[in-house]
Amino acid sequence: MSELDAPVTALKGVGEALAAKLGRLSIERVSDLLFHLPLRYQDRTRLTPMGTLRAGQEAVIEGDVTASDVVKGRRRSLLVRLRDGSGIISLRFFHFAPAQQQQLRSGVRVRAFGEARAGATGLELYHPEYQLVPLRQDGSEPPVDEHFTPIYPTTEGLHQPRLRALVGKALGMLERDPGGLPEVLPETLRQRFALPGLQQSLALLHQPPPEADMEQLDAGRHPATRRLALEEMLAHQLSLREVRLRIQQDGAPTLTDGRGLQARFLTQLPFALTGAQQRVLEEITHDLARPAPMLRLVQGDVGSGKTVVAAMAALAALESGCQAAIMAPTEILAEQHYRAFKAWLEPLGIEVAWLAGKLKGKARLDAKAAIADGRARMVVGTHALFQDDVHFQRLGLAIIDEQHRFGVHQRLALREKGEAGGLTPHQLIMTATPIPRTLAMSAYADLDVSLIDELPPGRTPVKTVVVSDERRPEVVQRIERACDEGRQAYWVCTLIEESEALQCQAAEVTSDELTAALPALSIGLVHGRMKAAEKAEVMARFKDGELDLLVATTVIEVGVDVSNASLMVIENPERLGLSQLHQLRGRVGRGSTESFCVLLYPPPLSKSSRQRLGVMRDTTDGFRIAEKDLEIRGPGEVLGTRQTGLAQMKVADLERDADLLDSVSAVATELQGNAEASSVLIRRWLGDAAGRYGQV
Ligand code: ADP
Ligand code: MG
């Protein structure tokens, strides 16, 4: 074992208290210090002539004191004037000891480091770090730093010099024992992608030489940073791939039957499957017949008909003697699936069970009992299905809808539900968030991807208009007209997303206003703070056509399906991401009548907002919108990576390093067979959480 693998307490001078502080920075082992990279740097490697200094610049200057006075301004301060051959600058101290004035007297030479600010006397350094420079006989000067000074992310009570010293020690160990942190990227790969070595990269990032490109370093574009970023992304990807391999070694029930139930189901549907639905279904059918668990992501734009595909897959499980479960991220959506599956499957003699967090008491016990003894063949619910006390008799297929709302962990948790029976269920994951290919490879490296790239026929694309709030009365009239014609409408209130309470309040106010303005209409309200049963009731009344207008918060974003609704008004659309707007808009245009979406913005609209809303007006293609969204907001937001685990990366930044993703995939493929290299990388970057994607 290398010294680098030892706990930090193995370092001289690191006791329990310091180790605890380091622990707060996730530094447990000596080698963790090496991966604790600077946030930024200071350049103390050269003296900057005063005359060239600009406000805001951090620099080392050196000059002779020409005056040293205590001045009375708003606050008393010690003002020390310095001069070098190129200009004049002042040092200002608000806290000072009398001895300091004496020390910094006229005639002495001072070297100082700080940030130049525009002050009362021209450029000033407030409370700089400084030292006196003895005038030497031979005219020689004390040396400047040999490398840039790293500024680390730190925690209370742990100062930069201390961290620097610790990292310095770790670097020294690495130099003596390079094998302690093995280079696992093969030479050929490093050459191909022009990547510097590991040890070299770490040394450079902690102690950049004066000739290093500071701008590149600050921007995270230095080859050394990129090498580490690539390695980290690689570790994540290898870890996901490993999970996949591990899962695929488990046995899965072969679900080869299904044709009987599927045929009966299809004759009962009022439409035929689209070509894309059929193709994806074939891919799924192929997977289900194998004795290893399917891990498949079905991507399909809003309204492309993923639910029917899910139902067909479920029937294969059911007819093969297994249970199937479908899980949705919100209760509204789960409830809607429950109704759909009941309507579809009960005529075929299949019992459908419902399980959500809000289901309590006897109803809950009954549902769990039916799931455990196998009376319930098809189970629909929310993430309540993950809970420990839920046992399946024989789960053959787990379907997860709108996966981007769930994290990797939750996605993997459902599979354990089947493991009790010695089987790992097949997994079908469905999402309407179109994910550009490179991102999909990275975020879902463990999944096969199918694409429903066709909408059912007869859909008229939603027409989108961007309208100023000044024209609100016209918009209200338009709703009245649509409802008079027997259509239904949504009015979506959005507000600052973090404040659900405010959002709900706004929806209540709007609902009251619209009720007053449109007395002839029956208007319902649904928001996130209502009880699930209340929400479900309102949704049901809207679906049954009892309500003309539904005022809602963004809770209706995902999956709600009312085909008679042909008008949607979205307030403050500039506050939402494009993909979210696209999801919302997908609630209309589900029938064959022409549908409209009104983006009602409060003027004035910024240039970038206008541009974004323009994208919504000009296209209904989910992929184009996703690409624009990606351009504008970056992958973290688009993928909701806070949940997927990708956000916890130390060096890599999916946005900044997106151009590396292709290389990452290529390298991952080459390294996959190399068990040792993979495990070193995974442990290095995912640490003790290694395999966390696997053990949920
Ligand atoms: P999403 O992919 O957004 O989940 P849904 O599964 O909710 O879409 O389907 C949207 C609507 O399209 C539903 O009303 C569904 O019954 C209908 N639908 C699905 N497939 C077809 C098809 N092949 N032809 C016509 N309508 C379809
Ligand atoms: Mg859906």
Side-chain angles (χ1 to χ4, degrees):
M1 197 175 98
S2 160
E3 281 181 299
L4 289 165
D5 293 325
V8 281
T9 44
L11 292 173
K12 225 174 108 208
V14 181
E16 287 307 318
L18 182 52
K21 286 177 196 158
L22 290 168
R24 288 208 292 272
L25 302 171
S26 302
I27 299 170
E28 313 274 348
R29 293 170 297 169
V30 176
S31 61
D32 293 336
L33 283 162
L34 296 172
F35 291 95
H36 188 69
L37 295 178
L39 288 170
R40 60 186 189 90
Y41 303 91
Q42 292 171 341
D43 183 357
R44 308 188 187 206
T45 64
R46 62 203 107 208
L47 297 181
T48 302
M50 293 174 193
T52 67
L53 209 56
R54 281 162 290 117
Q57 191 181 345
E58 274 184 338
V60 183
I61 51 159
E62 187 176 306
D64 299 320
V65 176
T66 59
S68 178
D69 303 297
V70 175
V71 293
K72 306 228 164 50
R74 248 180 315 158
R75 278 171 75 193
R76 216 169 76 96
S77 61
L78 171 63
L79 189 70
V80 179
R81 305 281 282 168
L82 284 186
R83 183 174 64 195
D84 67 6
S86 70
I88 294 174
I89 206 167
S90 304
L91 312 183
R92 196 184 284 273
F93 301 86
F94 292 104
H95 309 278
F96 58 95
Q100 223 171 331
Q101 186 179 7
Q102 177 53 29
Q103 184 193 36
L104 292 170
R105 64 184 180 279
S106 279
V108 303
R109 175 163 291 190
V110 177
R111 182 178 290 183
F113 174 81
E115 184 188 331
R117 312 187 189 196
T121 65
L123 285 183
E124 301 186 351
L125 305 186
Y126 287 8
H127 284 274
E129 295 171 39
Y130 71 90
Q131 68 187 95
L132 301 186
V133 181
L135 291 173
R136 298 189 192 167
Q137 296 290 310
D138 60 0
S140 70
E141 296 258 324
V144 287
D145 284 0
E146 283 169 27
H147 49 76
F148 290 157
T149 310
I151 308 292
Y152 292 102
T154 188
T155 181
E156 202 180 323
L158 181 57
H159 300 296
Q160 294 294 336
R162 191 61 173 275
L163 259 174
R164 262 172 229 150
L166 290 170
V167 172
K169 274 189 195 168
L171 283 172
M173 285 181 183
L174 178 61
E175 206 166 314
R176 286 195 301 279
D177 172 24
L181 206 59
E183 172 66 75
V184 285
L185 298 186
E187 179 64 31
T188 48
L189 280 178
R190 285 199 282 126
Q191 274 178 6
R192 178 140 43 99
F193 297 104
L195 302 171
L198 176 63
Q199 188 188 345
Q200 189 194 342
S201 300
L202 288 170
L204 185 134
L205 291 174
H206 287 291
Q207 303 181 340
E211 64 276 12
D213 183 334
M214 181 87 119
E215 259 173 51
Q216 227 181 19
L217 281 170
D218 281 342
R221 307 287 306 173
H222 194 281
T225 319
R226 285 170 64 78
R227 183 237 140 85
L228 293 180
L230 182 136
E231 203 186 291
E232 180 172 36
M233 292 195 278
L234 185 61
H236 279 257
Q237 190 159 133
L238 286 169
S239 161
L240 278 170
R241 290 191 188 200
E242 202 167 85
V243 170
R244 177 189 167 85
L245 280 178
R246 209 153 57 216
I247 295 176
Q248 300 244 288
Q249 279 164 4
D250 296 344
T254 50
L255 309 177
T256 49
D257 296 327
R259 310 227 172 265
L261 282 175
Q262 286 171 341
R264 285 169 61 201
F265 170 70
L266 287 177
T267 52
Q268 170 192 289
L269 276 184
F271 49 75
L273 297 185
T274 62
Q277 284 171 319
Q278 280 171 19
R279 176 173 44 74
V280 169
L281 204 56
E282 268 162 36
E283 289 164 359
I284 293 170
T285 306
H286 176 80
D287 287 353
L288 293 179
R290 296 180 54 235
M294 167 172 77
L295 291 165
R296 186 167 289 280
L297 175 72
V298 171
Q299 265 185 266
D301 204 348
V302 181
S304 62
K306 295 183 288 292
T307 321
V308 171
V309 171
M312 288 287 281
L315 290 172
L318 299 175
E319 194 161 346
S320 305
C322 287
Q323 291 167 298
I326 180 165
M327 188 179 59
T330 66
E331 220 150 302
I332 288 188
L333 188 53
E335 166 83 30
Q336 181 180 292
H337 281 333
Y338 179 54
R339 290 160 147 252
F341 277 79
K342 255 171 97 100
W344 285 336
L345 303 194
E346 281 186 358
L348 305 175
I350 296 159
E351 188 177 328
V352 181
W354 161 252
L355 191 69
K358 304 263 167 67
L359 192 68
K360 291 276 173 339
K362 181 159 184 318
R364 186 180 187 86
L365 289 177
D366 287 349
K368 284 196 318 189
I371 294 168
D373 67 21
R375 262 174 300 143
R377 312 299 304 152
M378 181 76 222
V379 183
V380 182
T382 58
H383 52 265
L385 292 179
F386 291 133
Q387 268 144 29
D388 286 343
D389 63 343
V390 179
H391 301 284
F392 286 82
Q393 179 228 10
R394 188 176 158 84
L395 182 61
L397 172 65
I399 303 162
I400 302 178
D401 195 14
E402 304 297 350
Q403 119 81 18
H404 63 289
R405 289 303 177 101
F406 292 107
V408 175
H409 301 242
Q410 287 174 309
R411 153 149 74 84
L412 294 166
L414 241 200
R415 81 161 202 272
E416 297 193 333
K417 291 293 171 195
E419 277 175 352
L423 295 168
T424 294
H426 296 278
Q427 283 183 47
L428 180 62
I429 292 132
M430 308 198 292
T431 182
T433 305
I435 302 154
R437 193 185 58 91
T438 46
L439 273 186
M441 278 192 302
S442 178
Y444 305 116
D446 57 331
L447 301 175
D448 297 308
V449 179
S450 293
L451 191 59
I452 307 186
D453 52 3
E454 178 186 355
L455 292 180
R459 300 261 171 94
T460 345
V462 182
K463 251 185 124 153
T464 299
V465 289
V466 181
V467 172
S468 155
D469 194 50
E470 287 157 358
R471 291 169 55 197
R472 199 181 180 94
E474 282 170 54
V475 174
V476 171
Q477 270 174 14
R478 190 160 180 174
I479 289 182
E480 189 163 31
R481 249 181 293 134
C483 294
D484 276 351
E485 288 166 15
R487 301 276 148 216
Q488 289 166 283
Y490 295 98
W491 187 292
V492 184
C493 303
T494 68
L495 218 83
I496 316 120
E497 251 196 294
E498 300 84 82
S499 173
E500 207 197 1
L502 278 179
Q503 199 180 35
C504 298
Q505 215 180 4
E508 274 165 12
V509 171
T510 307
S511 158
D512 290 346
E513 284 169 6
L514 289 170
T515 306
L518 299 165
L521 300 188
S522 81
I523 298 175
L525 170 67
V526 50
H527 62 60
R529 293 198 137 194
M530 287 163 58
K531 292 217 172 70
E534 289 176 276
K535 276 191 278 191
E537 199 211 308
V538 177
M539 290 308 300
R541 289 178 59 210
F542 187 63
K543 191 154 188 164
D544 294 343
E546 255 179 72
L547 298 174
D548 302 303
L549 173 64
L550 185 68
V551 179
T553 56
T554 48
V555 294
I556 63 152
E557 178 193 347
V558 270
V560 174
D561 185 29
V562 178
S563 57
N564 189 45
S566 66
L567 175 59
M568 172 175 282
V569 180
I570 304 175
E571 277 198 82
N572 305 317
E574 76 287 353
R575 289 184 170 145
L576 299 182
L578 292 185
S579 293
Q580 207 182 355
L581 283 172
H582 179 64
Q583 291 269 337
L584 276 171
R585 181 172 63 181
R587 303 306 108 219
V588 292
R590 308 208 131 207
S592 50
T593 38
E594 178 155 52
S595 296
F596 295 90
C597 177
V598 179
L599 302 176
L600 193 62
Y601 68 88
L605 207 51
S606 73
K607 191 173 159 219
S608 80
S609 295
R610 183 162 319 155
Q611 186 197 344
R612 278 153 31 82
L613 297 184
V615 173
M616 293 305 295
R617 187 187 50 221
D618 297 342
T619 181
T620 53
D621 177 340
F623 273 90
R624 268 209 57 204
I625 289 172
E627 267 160 23
K628 284 280 168 197
D629 208 18
L630 191 69
E631 250 169 54
I632 297 168
R633 287 194 307 156
E637 288 291 310
V638 174
L639 280 178
T641 34
R642 262 160 313 192
Q643 300 163 36
T644 62
L646 289 166
Q648 291 116 19
M649 295 215 249
K650 292 182 201 154
V651 181
D653 173 336
L654 269 188
E655 191 167 348
R656 185 189 69 200
D657 302 320
D659 59 322
L660 286 175
L661 279 167
D662 271 330
S663 315
V664 169
S665 287
V667 179
T669 304
E670 287 190 39
L671 270 189
Q672 207 168 2
N674 185 339
E676 177 158 356
S678 306
S679 86
V680 166
L681 278 178
I682 292 171
R683 214 165 29 108
R684 178 176 297 163
W685 290 98
L686 282 77
D688 297 330
R692 71 187 158 155
Y693 290 133
Q695 296 143 24
V696 186

